[in-house]
Amino acid sequence: MASLLSFSFASSLFMLFVLLFLQALAPYSTAQEAAGGERRPLVPAMFVFGDSLIDNGNNNNLPSLAKANYLPYGIDFAGGPTGRFANGYTIADGIGELLGLPLIPPFSQVSGNINSAINGVNYASAAAGILDISGRNFVSLIPFNQQIRNFASTMEQFSTILGAQTASDSIARSVLFIGFGSNDYLNNYLMPNYNTRFQYDGDQFSDLLIQHYSNQLETLYNLGARRFIIANVGVLGCIPYVLSQNLTSHCSSEVNNLVINFNSKLRPMLHNLNTNLQGSQFLHMDIYNMFKDILENPRKYGFSVANRGCCGIGRNSGQISCLPFQTPCPNRDQYVFWDAFHPSSAVNIKLARKSFSGSSDIISPMNIQQLATLNP
Amino acid sequence: MVKLILLLSLCTLGATNGATAGNTTVPAIYILGDSLVDVGNNNHLLTTIKADFPHNGVDFAGGKPTGRFCNGRNAADFIAEKLGLPSAPPYLSIRKISNSSEAFFNGINFASAGAGILDATHSGECLSLNKQIEYLSTAYAAMVEEIGDRQTQEHLAKSIFTIIIGSNDIFDYVKSNGDATPQQFVGSLTSTLQGQLKRIYNIGARKFSFIGTGPVGCCPALRSQSKTGECKEVANLVSHLYNEEIIFLLQEMKSQFSDINYSFFNTYIALLEIIQMPFNHGFTEVKAACCGIGDLNAKVACTPFSHYCSNRTSHIFWDYYHPTEATAGILTAEIFDGSMPHVYPINMRQLGAL
């Protein structure tokens, strides 16, 4: 008797899953208001890959020294601390909202329960880089290669539940948001206990990273993904942690030059993928220049503090990260940086909005809204 | 004949505990650690790290110093009280008496002020954790001689092993200007500790109560290094990271040795809450020590020449490093009956009842 019941429960869940996915395949030109006032999603799902800029809890249960599942992280988030390295939303949350999706769950919450992956999954992990060895000072993390394997296992489960064709159509219309590179510099190349800066000069290192990155994106394409938003690396030389390393609190041109060098190779790499991988759309999101504008003209964006973290300790509130129960600044919307490394949610939301409907100087060859409403 | 009496008294001890305490059948506590729980081991050592002089112990029974770095009872005493047991005496006192082996069954306190995970921490001035474990092993051998291996193992398996260690290693790290990042330093501590916990397990411990390090940057000694008396945050960062790693160490141990149980106490967040909301517990003095000399009464230890405050229950800290009896009492209540996230995954009462 018990087994019959569980069979019918599982099969009705299955039907619900299928129905929701099929519904999501219908084309929309804008996110329409459905009954109940919720926006209908522009895409079936969003899958997120990256580091602490967009990690929403994957490190919480790892033996990692890079986690944020305690106050005051999440102080402005409805549910409190989740593991996000911000006071509220990350840029991925902002983009998901504009796409009409609910908040995407972290892989750590989804892995046993495929039904909760219906709107997408967030695989991002704090300290992760393009290279497996980046970020190891924080002990445990999920590097990009492992995030890709996690995505592959999600795809396999979708295929089993929905059938290969339906799953593949759905993934092809879903959006992948990806951002890597910061940890390959901060927690690898620039880390005293790593040897990479002796093995490679800046140019050789960015070549190495770009080569790996290109292979990784191609792997995702081979797993069925077609629509990609790739964020370049931000202005690392001006984050409070780096500012605090020198007594004059100036941005580090050494760090920024390394990042600019990497970013300059990212754009042509994506162009190559667009050309060679049939049916793919790789968008290049210029976080660096958007952020640079905010740092140079903070008041234009409503910010008054651009050189110190809202929660942190020491010079520039950036020498030491935000510790449990530390009191953050009260006027968080005025701060560009939340802690020593990460932007505030106010910045994250602005970046999301600009990329959603922005022009080609920010995001190219089209913006996110255009990507989402492309005909299949 | 002696062995028979001992066996009988062990059984009745267990039964009495069960009847009166009503909540545990813990026959004994074995404590390893540092000055937060030292009850007099350092009195026997040739060291400057001692507290067997006034004004330490001003609020202890009889007003006499005992070697405790406190005005009165410390966490070791409060834990014993909660378990309905006498406070375990210091090892170096017990081993001098004639029937020491019998006394071992009632609990032993190996803690030594200045002790760290690393042998280099106050080397030569205290009993390092490694030394304490050696003594535990010696005591074990003596117990086996008394009542045999099986009975000793049974006794130890039901006892609680409380470990409070790490603060001194952290103070040394902060003082030195070494190359290791906080993460690397914490890694070196926990990889050493892992081996030490295994040795304690091999001697027979099955119930581990691990007390994490507090926001050590907020003790008067470190606060007095800043002009504004702010907490020394690099120390707090290391303490926070260390506690995170301890939890994983304990989880890993449990997956390796399924017959252990543990209770971890997150002193960092428990004491930080008290520091941030002192009035909830009747405290009015958060930064300054009650007894000592200099800025925040924290430049010099509590000696007979130091002044000390009259309102000791209003102070969080007794001297430049150590909490008052009042603070120790509040924290122990949490250790014993607290819930997550202060304790993980269970509290000490639950550990004792398993």
Side-chain angles (χ1 to χ4, degrees), chain A residues 60-65 67 69-70 137-139 191-193 313 320-321 323-327, chain B residues 181-184 186-187 233-237 240-242 244-245 248 251 268-269 272-273 276:
Chain A
N60 292 351
N61 295 323
L62 296 180
S64 166
L65 296 173
K67 43 174 84 166
N69 56 343
Y70 51 82
N137 278 347
F138 292 93
V139 186
M191 251 304 160
N193 64 319
I313 301 130
I320 290 170
S321 65
L323 289 173
F325 296 106
Q326 210 183 317
T327 310
Chain B
T181 64
Q183 289 83 1
Q184 287 172 305
V186 163
E233 295 295 353
V234 63
N236 283 351
L237 172 66
H240 160 63
L241 294 176
Y242 170 74
E244 292 283 306
E245 281 296 283
F248 287 109
Q251 285 173 338
Y268 189 98
I269 58 180
L272 193 64
E273 270 175 29
Q276 290 178 339

Side-chain angles (χ1 to χ4, degrees), chain A residues 277-312:
Chain A
L277 299 179
Q278 198 185 37
S280 71
Q281 287 290 346
F282 285 86
L283 265 54
H284 175 269
M285 183 195 291
D286 196 347
I287 299 270
Y288 188 95
N289 279 309
M290 282 195 277
F291 212 91
K292 184 159 172 273
D293 199 34
I294 295 176
L295 287 174
E296 287 171 356
N297 308 291
R299 296 200 186 276
K300 175 171 134 194
Y301 295 90
F303 298 108
S304 55
V305 186
N307 64 351
R308 48 191 310 115
C310 170
C311 179

Side-chain angles (χ1 to χ4, degrees), chain B residues 43-87:
Chain B
N43 299 350
H44 301 265
L45 303 176
L46 209 61
T47 176
T48 54
I49 312 178
K50 282 188 156 121
D52 57 352
F53 43 77
H55 307 287
N56 296 299
V58 63
D59 295 316
F60 202 77
K64 288 222 160 78
T66 57
R68 287 166 174 74
F69 290 74
C70 194
N71 51 308
R73 288 162 293 170
N74 64 19
D77 304 308
F78 284 116
I79 287 172
E81 237 171 81
K82 289 281 185 188
L83 288 168
L85 294 168
S87 190

Side-chain angles (χ1 to χ4, degrees), chain B residues 5 25 27 41 49 91 104 112 161-162 189 195 225 247 276-277 280 298 314 323 328 342-343:
Chain B
I5 292 172
T25 49
N41 274 313
I49 312 178
Y91 175 75
F104 288 158
S112 168
F161 284 73
T162 299
L189 279 190
Q225 290 177 8
I247 292 174
Q276 290 178 339
M277 294 180 293
N280 286 354
S314 313
H342 287 183
V343 303

